[in-house]
Amino acid sequence: MSQFWLMKSEPDVYSFEQLKNDRTTWWTGVRNYQARNFMMNQMKLGDTVLFYHSNAEPPGIAGLAKVTKLAQPDPTQFDKKSEYFDPKSKLDKPSWFCVEVGYFQDIKNYLPLQSLREDKKLAGLLLLQKGTRLSVLPVEKKHFDHIITLGQSS
DNA sequence: GCCAACGTTGGC
DNA sequence: GCCAACGTTGGC
């Protein structure tokens, strides 16, 4: 099972800097079954997460996080005041789950999407595949290791 | 703001 | 179970 992940967030909504400030956050609001299943079934404590800024200028990888708590029901699905409220969710049978992630490490270089696309060593990275809209994606170790190298090189 | 590529919904 | 219509994501 994968030990490396990429999670997307719009920095206007929740940025890596905010995570660094908060130290940890529950990854609420995911309303896609594939992304939920990754969090619910596969993410383990200590898994490393590439924190990706989507809808950013430019979009790219901003830093490193870790999974700090296993998946639990996402409380926002029951909150009528939340934009993530889901009237179909039942308290005894929640539809949506989220993990807690914590700040882990800065990277020296922000890694723009375009530079990742141009890197031959990252061929096959799910993030780069056409039509991939998942907000939670597994990352292969070989790709993860290379991304770390890019992020820390001078 | 546009729009391609998906995912979801609901009528049948 | 099919599929058209609609909604969303997210790069550009």
Side-chain angles (χ1 to χ4, degrees):
Chain A
M1 290 293 98
S2 183
Q3 295 179 256
F4 307 102
W5 304 93
L6 181 143
M7 296 173 95
K8 297 180 186 174
S9 184
E10 301 188 25
D12 291 346
V13 178
Y14 196 86
S15 67
F16 184 67
E17 290 69 30
Q18 278 173 271
L19 177 65
K20 187 172 181 178
N21 194 54
D22 293 346
R23 310 317 282 184
T24 63
T25 192
W26 285 96
W27 207 262
T28 56
V30 171
R31 295 294 180 268
N32 170 285
Y33 288 105
Q34 254 186 292
R36 178 205 69 178
N37 290 344
F38 284 135
M39 289 198 285
M40 196 169 71
N41 302 329
Q42 296 196 35
M43 281 193 167
K44 301 186 304 282
L45 293 177
D47 281 4
T48 311
V49 174
L50 302 168
F51 194 115
Y52 179 86
H53 282 173
S54 60
N55 272 320
E57 190 49 57
I61 294 169
L64 302 176
K66 281 204 183 269
V67 176
T68 48
K69 294 272 174 58
L70 294 174
Q72 294 195 13
D74 178 343
T76 63
Q77 70 194 302
F78 304 118
D79 179 359
K80 285 194 172 136
K81 293 195 286 283
S82 169
E83 62 175 308
Y84 301 120
F85 176 67
D86 183 349
K88 294 195 294 294
S89 289
K90 300 283 182 292
L91 266 173
D92 58 344
K93 197 169 177 291
S95 303
W96 306 111
F97 285 73
C98 55
V99 295
E100 186 195 67
V101 301
Y103 168 78
F104 175 44
Q105 224 173 259
D106 289 331
I107 52 173
K108 277 205 284 186
N109 315 307
Y110 182 81
L111 300 171
L113 177 61
Q114 194 189 338
S115 70
L116 302 176
R117 280 198 197 289
E118 288 166 357
D119 193 319
K120 289 197 177 68
K121 288 188 176 166
L122 295 178
L125 182 67
L126 277 176
L127 175 73
L128 305 180
Q129 281 174 22
K130 190 170 159 185
T132 297
R133 298 186 315 183
L134 277 178
S135 59
V136 178
L137 297 167
V139 176
E140 292 175 54
K141 178 170 167 49
K142 63 176 179 183
H143 291 147
F144 179 85
D145 289 345
H146 185 59
I147 288 167
I148 294 302
T149 303
L150 295 172
Q152 305 299 6
S153 69
S154 310

